[in-house]
Amino acid sequence: MQQTHHLIDGEDIATTSGRSGPVSNPATGDQTGEVGFASVEEVDRAVASSKAAFDEWRNVSIARRTKLLHEFRNLVAANADEIAARLTAEHGKVADDARGEVARGIENIEFSCGLADALKGTYNEQASAGVDVYTVRQPLGVCAGITPFNFPAMVPLWMIPNAVACGNTFILKPSERDPSAPRFIIELAQEAGFPPGVVNLVNGDKVAVDRLLDHPDVAAVSFVGSTPIARYVYATGTANGKRIQALGGAKNHMVVLPDADLDLAADAAVSAAYGSAGERCMAISVVVAVGDIADDLVERIRVRMDKLVIGPGDDPTSEMGPLITREHRDRVAGYIGSGADEGATVVVDGREQVFDGDGYFLGVSLLDNVTTDMQVYRDEVFGPVLSVVRSDTYHEAVQMISDNPYGNGAAIFTRDGGAAHQFQRDAEAGMVGINVPIPVPVGYHSFGGWNDSLFGDTTMYGPEGLRFYTRPKVITSRWPDPSTSSVDLGFPQND
Ligand code: NAD
């Protein structure tokens, strides 16, 4: 069985905590590895290493940092297939999806390669007579990242490139469910030439997270995961005086207006609901059918579902893989039953599909006539279950999104530019798609939701990520002739 260890100061460190977690292949149900969980002392060791490295790293030139980021980018690209294979083996997502995840991660490194331009300060000459004022952005110190199971490669790459580009050092605490891809990425960062301690990795659970949130030498924490833990990380970290950005769960709605091309909408709904087995924070979980199109749209979705191939992620014919654990698969299946009990129409019941072996597979499900009081609507299901809610009007659909506590993504399908433009203004979500079901922003915009989908003031990666990982310093400077100097107790005025 493969053992996954910490990586601190460039060294492979096995835990001595005596605590560990199993790592399984979700397609077979077999345990394939074990990941050691950090003790408080091991987290402290990583923080001490990152703190020591910060003193030198913050003074490394922009030119050198840029070169290292390019090297890192090239190594991740050269090893994309190996990273993707690890994703498939431990997360279960199909190979093509896994390669897509790595490609989006690389986009974030590419953005950070432009740090020279992005970190330019501002300068005002002659702000007052003989006085110049300028702002520079400086790093925070030791930053930490805590990441979820569903994007074990991409989400760490939302954080690491920008954090180190800005001159911070970084400690990654990835999900304990699929730790080998993030571990490999940190190895690649070391191979790229980042000095020891600039990027460290500790594996673990709540013990490691709590120590990072508590440690006086950790300046900032980026978190991505479920809403209850995001809320906890934000509340605890800010109470301890840290800068925190904590991205949470989601319930993404796709509104289909009566004028939409229904084939286009059905393709998009199926792709966005069942891709990665629905285990995406940007997955479409609810289709809101406006007006009289619901019967037609539901039928077009159903027909497409019949053709989906579900199987192991390393089988090139598979379009959807298993869920992450047996418990999660059973929890997701429970929502199909609860929806039926509460009055939804089960058009396709994924529980009826039988799979060979002990993998954590579940067929795709479609529930119609879902209402907003049902549990399947209220909760984040995070699995291949799509709900259809019928709505009489556009306004009712938009109100539904506003009333939902989450606010990650929202999409509209229509051929009416005016309606789309109105939706762009109205939707209570941080990321909006117009005929795009999964509007994940490109690397040079930033990613993040609203309301219960994000706690904190800045979204992640892109320009907002740079803002998070730096603090502004304003310098007021003059070089006067000493002979003109005199004592003046008045408050300095600009003239
Ligand atoms: P999770 O909240 O269970 O775990 C996320 C991280 O928090 C992991 O590293 C885990 O070890 C740690 N953690 C778990 N329980 C903890 C506790 N009690 N105290 C401290 N730390 C704890 O999330 P997950 O199941 O790994 O990931 C799926 C969730 O992440 C979904 O809700 C999904 O919507 C969300 N997600 C959100 C985004 C986004 O950008 N908003 C992106 C990806 C995933």
Side-chain angles (χ1 to χ4, degrees):
M1 270 201 310
Q2 181 180 330
Q3 302 287 330
T4 306
H5 298 152
H6 315 314
L7 208 47
I8 302 173
D9 238 0
E11 284 179 44
D12 185 84
I13 308 283
T15 184
T16 55
S17 71
R19 297 184 314 112
S20 63
V23 179
S24 300
N25 180 341
T28 62
D30 295 334
Q31 184 177 347
T32 52
E34 193 176 48
V35 54
F37 291 172
S39 61
V40 167
E41 293 71 30
E42 284 157 7
V43 175
D44 287 356
R45 181 173 171 179
V47 176
S49 151
S50 298
K51 190 181 177 204
F54 176 65
D55 289 339
E56 285 192 23
W57 180 246
R58 70 189 294 268
N59 290 313
V60 168
S61 68
I62 286 176
R64 177 101 197 105
R65 274 182 268 157
T66 303
K67 283 193 184 83
L68 290 174
L69 282 160
H70 274 282
E71 189 61 29
F72 181 42
R73 182 255 170 233
N74 292 342
L75 280 169
V76 172
N79 288 280
D81 286 348
E82 170 61 21
I83 298 170
R86 290 178 187 224
L87 297 177
T88 297
E90 293 181 358
H91 173 282
K93 60 180 69 179
V94 299
D96 196 39
D97 194 27
R99 283 192 292 270
E101 168 175 353
V102 180
R104 293 306 288 254
I106 290 171
E107 252 189 48
N108 297 117
I109 315 179
E110 286 165 350
F111 173 78
S112 71
C113 288
L115 72 130
D117 197 45
L119 289 179
K120 270 182 190 155
T122 59
Y123 200 107
N124 281 100
E125 196 182 42
Q126 201 70 350
S128 186
V131 175
D132 293 350
V133 179
Y134 45 102
T135 301
V136 295
R137 298 199 72 92
Q138 296 193 334
L140 307 177
V142 179
C143 298
I146 299 158
T147 54
F149 82 83
N150 66 324
F151 283 109
M154 182 182 76
V155 171
L157 291 175
W158 285 0
M159 304 169 181
I160 299 167
N162 270 352
V164 300
C166 293
N168 301 285
T169 53
F170 193 85
I171 301 170
L172 176 67
K173 203 303 284 172
S175 170
E176 60 275 41
R177 309 242 178 86
D178 38 21
S180 86
R183 157 90 199 195
F184 186 44
I185 285 171
I186 305 298
E187 286 169 17
L188 293 175
Q190 299 200 341
E191 195 181 329
F194 289 102
V198 171
V199 188
N200 283 323
L201 171 108
V202 289
N203 289 299
D205 57 358
K206 183 170 167 56
V207 171
V209 171
D210 283 347
R211 184 56 184 151
L212 288 169
L213 292 174
D214 186 42
H215 199 299
D217 290 334
V218 173
V221 176
S222 302
F223 173 90
V224 178
S226 60
T227 288
I229 312 296
R231 190 182 271 122
Y232 166 77
V233 165
Y234 183 74
T236 311
T238 51
N240 289 338
K242 301 188 191 314
R243 188 179 283 199
I244 306 285
Q245 51 178 186
L247 277 58
K251 192 84 195 176
N252 305 312
H253 295 62
M254 171 175 151
V255 175
V256 185
L257 295 188
D259 72 323
D261 182 309
L262 292 189
D263 282 321
L264 184 87
D267 283 339
V270 170
S271 311
Y274 306 120
S276 206
E279 291 175 328
R280 290 180 183 142
C281 64
M282 289 296 275
I284 289 296
S285 173
V286 180
V287 163
V288 186
V290 178
D292 59 1
I293 54 166
D295 289 341
D296 194 356
L297 181 61
V298 165
E299 179 54 17
R300 288 176 205 239
I301 292 173
R302 191 194 63 73
V303 169
R304 285 163 171 77
M305 291 169 69
D306 280 349
K307 297 183 190 136
L308 292 179
V309 181
I310 303 171
D314 57 6
D315 179 338
T317 63
S318 300
E319 295 172 280
M320 187 186 112
L323 282 91
I324 184 72
T325 58
R326 181 171 289 116
E327 297 69 34
H328 184 57
R329 191 262 318 268
D330 295 346
R331 183 179 157 276
V332 171
Y335 282 107
I336 307 163
S338 81
D341 293 346
E342 291 183 273
T345 311
V346 181
V347 180
V348 181
D349 187 340
R351 295 171 302 181
E352 290 171 358
Q353 187 166 354
V354 178
F355 297 91
D356 293 335
D358 292 325
Y360 314 140
F361 290 99
L362 178 66
V364 289
S365 297
L366 180 62
L367 274 58
D368 191 6
N369 295 303
V370 171
T371 53
T372 55
D373 54 340
M374 294 179 187
Q375 206 185 353
V376 67
Y377 176 84
R378 290 199 318 268
D379 293 359
E380 181 185 34
V381 176
F382 221 55
V385 178
L386 178 62
S387 296
V388 176
V389 180
R390 294 170 176 236
S391 163
D392 290 334
T393 63
Y394 164 85
H395 295 288
E396 206 180 296
V398 164
Q399 192 60 45
M400 200 181 299
I401 296 172
S402 299
D403 291 344
N404 195 281
Y406 297 105
N408 220 34
I412 191 162
F413 277 69
T414 180
R415 282 184 279 207
D416 180 338
H421 187 256
Q422 188 62 40
F423 184 77
Q424 166 189 321
R425 286 192 59 72
D426 291 343
E428 183 75 12
M431 293 169 283
V432 168
I434 296 171
N435 298 317
V436 172
I438 306 192
V440 175
V442 290
Y444 42 96
H445 283 258
S446 300
F447 182 107
W450 286 4
N451 305 326
D452 283 1
S453 294
L454 189 147
F455 303 90
D457 305 312
T458 47
T459 53
M460 218 165 259
Y461 71 72
E464 289 269 309
L466 292 175
R467 243 166 37 83
F468 179 78
Y469 289 121
T470 52
R471 48 188 176 168
K473 182 179 278 182
V474 187
I475 298 116
T476 304
S477 143
R478 68 184 180 122
W479 298 91
D481 176 352
S483 67
T484 64
S485 175
S486 64
V487 171
D488 180 356
L489 300 193
F491 192 64
Q493 294 183 34
N494 296 318
D495 205 1

